[in-house]
């Protein structure tokens, strides 16, 4: 099954690449690797401002991370010249989770993104990963995720 068949089955429409809010580009390719800049969680088109352990829980956070993965795939599609079937492997995901000092489920929040990437890309979507709790993320967002992929 192609990546696009899987996206259709999951009823996912990929967004266009977001315009960077600061001095950076959405992605950089070197060789066969493409590095995607961090994408923040959004809700109703605005940054999803919340902090885990204070005003958002793990299950809702998984949905936030899933949404970030959809945005990342939109950017990755642009990096692939419009063809996600060129993705040979999702290599690495790094997730920053806006957390209080006693929140310890960053890895479970990040599963929202990791599980979706696995569903969409199959074995090629299984990746290495880091998930960190941080005191704050730009614009107060609850989650920020970056991604590295290998292209064919």
């Amino acid at each position: 099954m192609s990546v696009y068949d899987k996206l259709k089955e999951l009823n996912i429409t990929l967004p266009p690449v977001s315009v960077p809010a600061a001095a950076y580009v959405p992605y950089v390719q070197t060789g066969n690797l493409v590095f995607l800049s961090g994408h923040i969680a959004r809700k109703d088109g605005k940054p999803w401002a919340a902090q885990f352990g204070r005003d958002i829980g793990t299950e809702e956070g998984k949905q936030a991370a899933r949404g970030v993965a959809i945005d990342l795939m939109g950017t990755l599609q642009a990096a692939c010249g419009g063809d996600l079937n060129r993705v040979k492997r999702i290599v690495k995901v790094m997730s920053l989770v806006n957390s209080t000092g006693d929140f310890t489920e960053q890895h479970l929040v990040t599963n929202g993104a990791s599980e979706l990437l696995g569903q969409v890309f199959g074995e090629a979507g299984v990746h290495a990963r880091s998930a960190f709790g941080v005191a704050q993320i730009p614009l107060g967002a609850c989650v920020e995720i970056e991604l590295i992929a290998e292209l064919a």
Side-chain angles (χ1 to χ4, degrees):
M1 178 179 286
S2 86
V3 169
Y4 293 101
D5 291 337
K6 193 62 180 175
L7 288 169
K8 186 175 181 180
E9 179 183 294
L10 294 168
N11 199 29
I12 294 173
T13 302
L14 298 179
V17 177
S18 296
V19 175
Y24 64 93
V25 294
Y27 62 87
V28 170
Q29 183 172 348
T30 183
N32 290 336
L33 293 178
V34 63
F35 295 76
L36 275 59
S37 293
H39 287 49
I40 62 170
R42 298 193 171 277
K43 188 174 193 177
D44 302 323
K46 299 176 188 156
W48 190 338
Q51 188 173 51
F52 290 89
R54 186 183 71 199
D55 48 19
I56 188 171
T58 302
E59 286 306 310
E60 192 175 12
K62 282 181 72 172
Q63 291 306 308
R66 184 181 190 277
V68 174
I70 292 169
D71 288 346
L72 284 163
M73 285 188 282
T75 300
L76 185 56
Q77 179 174 251
C80 293
D83 185 8
L84 281 175
N85 289 307
R86 289 187 53 215
V87 174
K88 186 174 180 181
R89 179 83 193 212
I90 303 297
V91 177
K92 174 88 189 258
V93 166
M94 187 181 78
S95 175
L96 305 172
V97 180
N98 185 348
S99 312
T100 60
D102 59 350
F103 184 82
T104 60
E105 295 187 339
Q106 291 84 0
H107 61 297
L108 298 177
V109 168
T110 305
N111 279 348
S114 293
E115 290 168 359
L116 181 60
L117 292 168
Q119 283 181 293
V120 171
F121 293 101
E123 191 61 33
V126 179
H127 52 270
R129 185 180 90 181
S130 300
F132 300 96
V134 297
Q136 197 51 264
I137 292 173
L139 306 174
C142 59
V143 179
E144 179 175 355
I145 301 174
E146 64 179 46
L147 180 147
I148 301 168
E150 181 184 11
L151 305 182

